[in-house]
Amino acid sequence: MSELDLAALREEYARSGLTESDLAPDPITMFRRWFDEAVAAGLHEPNAVVVATADADARPAARLVLLKGLSDDGFVFFTNTRSRKGEELAANPACALLFPWHPLERQVRVEGTATVLPDEEVTAYFASRPRGSRLGAHASHQSRVVASRDELAAAYAEAEAAFPDDVPVPDEWGGYRVRPEVVEFWQGRPGRMHDRLVYRRTGPDLEAWRTERLAP
Ligand SMILES: Cc1cc2nc3c(=O)[nH]c(=O)nc-3n(C[C@H](O)[C@H](O)[C@H](O)COP(=O)(O)O)c2cc1C
């Protein structure tokens, strides 16, 4: 595709609007509402979320993961804790999440702090994964350089032989809960006059939320 084609690609957003009176008292309730609408609309993998991290030198990196839990305490995903993202979160737990629900002309942006999930939560979720995924977690030292596809296949076969029945949780496998500090709900509107309503923590214990509107 030429640069010209890209420049001409644009959509007018007019599906709906987002006003202050639509907002739930807290962003998790609001997120659930929009998430349910994303599911109802049949979006492909509505729980796919971009996770942006920055290393100790503030160099950013982003990748997709799957949201696997949501509670008042935050957004949960599972991964390899010694992967690039794991190393970056260990050095700098500040991170951002982006849910790109563009068929609904919506995005949700989260800024927060990641903490490592307790072992019980990791073990419970790991046990729910298909056997192939559990073996793959043993075979893949995520983000490390591998010599070839054959090396990976051999590591998988080794894991298969080592764990004919139960597959234990690998040491380097785990997950994170991102406690939100800022959550923005973005709805596309005609003429690029989009709605952007943002929740920010407030109050003495930072347990309450205030909201504000940002220019699009
Ligand atoms: C739709 C989709 C879902 C993904 N879900 C996960 C996930 O839940 N956990 C994970 O570790 N990687 C997931 N990945 C792979 C990551 O995008 C990434 O390649 C991997 O985590 C290594 O990233 P890192 O080297 O920055 O740590 C997913 C990729 C896609 C395209």
Side-chain angles (χ1 to χ4, degrees), residues 45 48 61-66 77-80 83-86 142-143:
E45 297 199 310
R63 76 291 286 159
L64 276 171
V65 301
L66 294 176
F77 65 92
F78 293 91
T79 188
N80 183 306
S83 62
R84 176 173 178 184
K85 76 183 89 48
Q142 195 177 57
S143 315

Side-chain angles (χ1 to χ4, degrees), residues 76-81 115-118 122 172-177:
V76 168
F77 65 92
F78 293 91
T79 188
N80 183 306
T81 51
T115 50
V116 175
L117 290 176
V122 172
E172 60 189 63
W173 203 82
Y176 296 89
R177 174 174 284 110

Side-chain angles (χ1 to χ4, degrees), residues 156-174:
Y156 188 92
E158 224 171 87
E160 252 181 328
F163 309 115
D165 303 313
D166 285 354
V167 185
V169 183
D171 286 346
E172 60 189 63
W173 203 82

Side-chain angles (χ1 to χ4, degrees), residues 113-157:
T113 305
T115 50
V116 175
L117 290 176
D119 286 347
E120 318 82 75
E121 270 181 73
V122 172
T123 308
Y125 175 70
F126 192 76
S128 78
R129 302 179 85 209
R131 176 172 167 81
S133 309
R134 284 181 279 148
L135 291 171
H138 279 274
S140 164
H141 301 293
Q142 195 177 57
S143 315
R144 249 62 62 82
V145 174
V146 283
S148 63
R149 181 86 211 172
D150 287 349
E151 184 183 303
L152 279 178
Y156 188 92

